[in-house]
């Protein structure tokens, strides 16, 4: 089964994500920029590439019948979003020679593949355990941004998720206890399983969202319900509708 035309997919993601972000930052349309939802930098199109939320190394191992089914090409099974490719600088020091797309690949894709192919090492030290949980949180965060848009990245809890993304082995201070665990099941194998066409599922709770990514679940902190309408032009709005986007970033 041929993959869908990737340049086309990038253009489509760029357009959709830009239209969504313009609700908060209208000037990006004129400047033709997009915010990377991981590092928070505003960058031009050439500094972005397509990120497979479920890693390529995982989807390559999907059952043959699923891979050859025209209804479930790789990009549908993986879920896509744009992440940056520009080297990351923190306080004038280069901390990574590439962007967030490569950062996720380096720190999380191996752990995610372990989980989603059912090959979690049985005995792990704390650091390896944390890497699997934080990998799960990273995938859940990206899945939520791809589903509900930049509101997820820009609410207060988005900053927590963005900071956790850059701490692949240690939980960020203040991360709620129930976000510091992951529940995993056996990988799906049935051809007719709907997980191949819908890899993510979201269940909202107070201050958190239970995110299912294929065969694992994590609680992602959520300070507001991203499905509620956003009212920004009125001075007094009920608290749950008030939204003050947080553009904080430490990266240049
Ligand atoms: Zn980035």
């Amino acid at each position: 089964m041929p993959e869908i035309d990737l340049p086309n997919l990038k253009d489509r993601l760029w357009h959709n994500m830009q239209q969504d972000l313009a609700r908060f930052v209208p000037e990006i349309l004129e400047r033709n920029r997009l915010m990377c939802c991981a590092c928070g930098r505003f960058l031009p199109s050439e500094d972005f590439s397509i990120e497979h939320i479920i890693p390529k190394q995982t989807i390559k191992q999907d059952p043959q019948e699923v891979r050859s089914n025209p209804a479930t090409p790789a990009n549908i099974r993986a879920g896509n979003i744009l992440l940056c490719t520009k080297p990351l600088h923190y306080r004038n020091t280069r901390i990574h020679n590439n962007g967030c797309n490569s950062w996720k690949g380096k720190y999380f894709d191996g752990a995610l593949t372990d989980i989603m192919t059912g090959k979690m090492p049985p005995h792990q030290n704390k650091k390896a355990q944390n890497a699997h949980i934080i990998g799960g949180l990273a995938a859940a965060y990206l899945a939520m941004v791809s589903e509900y848009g930049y509101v997820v990245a820009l609410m207060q809890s988005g900053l927590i998720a963005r900071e956790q993304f850059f701490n692949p082995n240690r939980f960020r201070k203040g991360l709620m206890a129930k976000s510091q665990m992951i529940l995993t099941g056996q990988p799906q194998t049935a051809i007719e399983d709907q997980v191949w066409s819908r890899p993510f599922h979201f269940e909202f709770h107070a201050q958190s969202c239970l995110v299912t990514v294929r065969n694992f679940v994590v609680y992602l902190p959520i300070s507001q319900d991203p499905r509620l309408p956003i009212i920004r032009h009125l001075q007094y709005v009920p608290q749950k509708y008030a939204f003050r986007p947080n553009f904080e970033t430490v990266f240049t």
Side-chain angles (χ1 to χ4, degrees):
M1 171 64 202
E3 296 305 326
I4 107 157
D5 179 2
L6 288 181
N8 230 332
L9 177 60
K10 183 181 172 184
D11 287 348
R12 198 153 43 94
L13 286 167
W14 175 266
H15 176 77
N16 291 345
M17 290 174 75
Q18 212 180 32
Q19 292 297 319
D20 172 52
L21 182 58
R23 297 191 299 150
F24 308 100
V25 204
E27 55 273 25
I28 55 151
L29 294 176
E30 203 172 314
R31 293 181 56 221
N32 206 17
R33 292 286 193 277
L34 195 62
M35 178 187 145
C36 173
C37 69
C39 66
R41 294 178 298 175
F42 284 79
L43 301 167
S45 173
E46 58 265 31
D47 288 332
F48 282 91
S49 67
I50 298 169
E51 164 63 25
H52 293 79
I53 300 172
I54 295 177
K56 277 190 216 159
Q57 60 209 76
T58 307
I59 54 175
K60 263 193 222 157
Q61 300 180 51
D62 289 343
Q64 168 61 36
E65 294 89 332
V66 172
R67 283 185 281 134
S68 57
N69 181 352
T72 53
N75 67 306
I76 300 285
R77 302 199 307 281
N80 303 122
I81 195 163
L82 294 180
L83 284 183
C84 79
T85 53
K86 190 181 175 188
L88 288 153
H89 292 85
Y90 173 67
R91 291 186 180 153
N92 295 325
T93 305
R94 183 175 285 206
I95 59 156
H96 189 61
N97 278 331
N98 209 314
C100 296
N101 200 324
S102 143
W103 180 277
K104 173 178 173 283
K106 179 175 178 186
Y107 290 106
F108 303 129
D109 282 357
L112 287 168
T113 300
D114 285 348
I115 299 168
M116 288 188 272
T117 55
K119 297 189 183 100
M120 282 261 272
H123 302 292
Q124 292 184 303
N125 61 28
K126 193 79 191 148
K127 195 174 153 189
Q129 268 176 17
N130 287 358
H132 284 88
I133 300 168
I134 295 168
L137 289 171
Y141 168 69
L142 296 176
M144 275 206 91
V145 176
S146 82
E147 178 79 17
Y148 298 103
Y150 276 97
V151 64
V152 174
L154 295 174
M155 62 177 69
Q156 291 305 318
S157 55
L159 186 62
I160 297 175
R162 288 189 277 134
E163 288 179 355
Q164 188 62 72
F165 188 87
F166 293 100
N167 278 297
N169 299 312
R170 246 194 5 206
F171 295 116
R172 177 195 179 276
K173 203 168 158 243
L175 183 71
M176 58 169 79
K178 67 179 179 178
S179 293
Q180 300 185 19
M181 60 181 188
I182 189 166
L183 294 173
T184 64
Q186 288 299 313
Q188 292 85 354
T189 51
I191 313 307
E192 63 279 6
D193 202 308
Q194 64 159 16
V195 79
W196 311 120
S197 50
R198 290 191 56 82
F200 314 119
H201 182 261
F202 307 93
E203 186 184 304
F204 287 90
H205 297 254
Q207 300 293 303
S208 70
C209 180
L210 182 65
V211 183
T212 307
V213 179
R214 284 200 172 178
N215 65 329
F216 75 83
V217 294
V218 284
Y219 278 102
L220 199 70
I222 284 294
S223 37
Q224 285 174 260
D225 186 335
R227 300 166 301 177
L228 293 176
I230 294 156
I231 303 170
R232 302 194 56 217
H233 56 283
L234 298 175
Q235 201 171 0
Y236 299 103
V237 293
Q239 189 55 38
K240 71 173 180 171
Y241 295 119
F243 186 73
R244 287 169 198 85
N246 185 331
F247 293 105
E248 208 176 311
T249 177
V250 294
F251 296 103
T252 52

